[in-house]
Amino acid sequence: NPDSVLIIHFSASEPGKINSQLILWNSHGKGPVYTEQGATFQGKLDLLSFYARMSIRNDGGIVTASESGIEVKNANSFTILLRGNTNFDPVSPSYIYDETTLPSQVDRMIINAAQKTYPELKNDHITDYKTLFDRFSLDLENTENTIPTDELINVYKTGGYKNLFLELLYFHYGRY
């Protein structure tokens, strides 16, 4: 939230082990434009226009772009910054504003966020959300985190597990 971008970070326990193919999907407009630095797409619906930008920052390895996507090879880690926006304006009489300003708005948010390292972005996010998240706590009995979540869900479906951790987990996920 403080940087107004979605941040996705991939890392591996060994250097050079990350390989990934990245694509953006735009079902309502021009196809994405890919570069080694990221991708953009835009389009227009009946009323709204939209624009999105993805930025890639890699540590090690190589990033290549083609018409079909971006490939990250042999990276130690990489971070994706993603932001999209529409020209919706709830206080405008027409409910929209000039769509030509969308790219510069979104690009500015990505450029500003890209000035920070991943640890800085993560720390700013945690500091921001904890101001709200930590104002409340919920304590339920028998909420030990004793098995992996996928196993907990499977056991929960059978009614055989009496741990309330799943309820607590979903409650906090919804708050987040």
Side-chain angles (χ1 to χ4, degrees):
N1 183 51
D3 293 291
S4 292
V5 296
L6 175 68
I7 304 160
I8 306 166
H9 183 75
F10 295 91
S11 62
S13 58
E14 296 178 30
K17 295 293 184 181
I18 297 179
N19 297 291
S20 188
Q21 182 77 22
L22 307 171
I23 61 168
L24 285 179
W25 181 255
N26 178 8
S27 62
H28 297 290
K30 294 188 299 187
V33 175
Y34 295 106
T35 69
E36 282 76 19
Q37 290 75 41
T40 61
F41 71 72
Q42 61 188 29
K44 184 170 180 70
L45 304 174
D46 289 338
L47 178 64
L48 292 177
S49 295
F50 57 91
Y51 176 83
R53 179 174 175 179
M54 173 177 71
S55 175
I56 309 288
R57 295 190 309 189
N58 61 305
D59 170 27
I62 11 178
V63 176
T64 57
S66 69
E67 287 184 9
S68 61
I70 299 171
E71 188 170 14
V72 178
K73 285 186 176 180
N74 304 319
N76 303 324
S77 68
F78 75 93
T79 303
I80 299 170
L81 304 176
L82 180 63
R83 174 63 196 212
N85 205 1
T86 70
N87 65 329
F88 174 70
D89 181 355
V91 296
S92 167
S94 65
Y95 295 105
I96 59 171
Y97 61 87
D98 181 11
E99 75 249 16
T100 62
T101 63
L102 278 173
S104 62
Q105 291 171 3
V106 171
D107 291 349
R108 185 175 56 254
M109 289 180 221
I110 292 287
I111 289 166
N112 289 342
Q115 302 303 310
K116 297 179 181 181
T117 64
Y118 170 70
E120 290 171 328
L121 291 164
K122 182 178 178 181
N123 184 60
D124 290 350
H125 166 70
I126 290 170
T127 300
D128 179 63
Y129 100 84
K130 281 188 154 294
T131 61
L132 297 171
F133 198 83
D134 288 350
R135 294 188 311 185
F136 175 84
S137 68
L138 174 65
D139 296 315
L140 302 175
E141 291 184 21
N142 197 19
T143 56
E144 297 78 30
N145 185 4
T146 56
I147 63 174
T149 306
D150 61 335
E151 292 177 29
L152 180 61
I153 291 169
N154 287 335
V155 174
Y156 191 87
K157 288 177 184 177
T158 67
Y161 200 62
K162 302 303 178 205
N163 187 332
L164 295 177
F165 178 73
L166 191 60
E167 283 86 348
L168 190 62
L169 181 65
Y170 275 112
F171 176 78
H172 287 305
Y173 180 73
R175 291 180 56 225
Y176 179 79

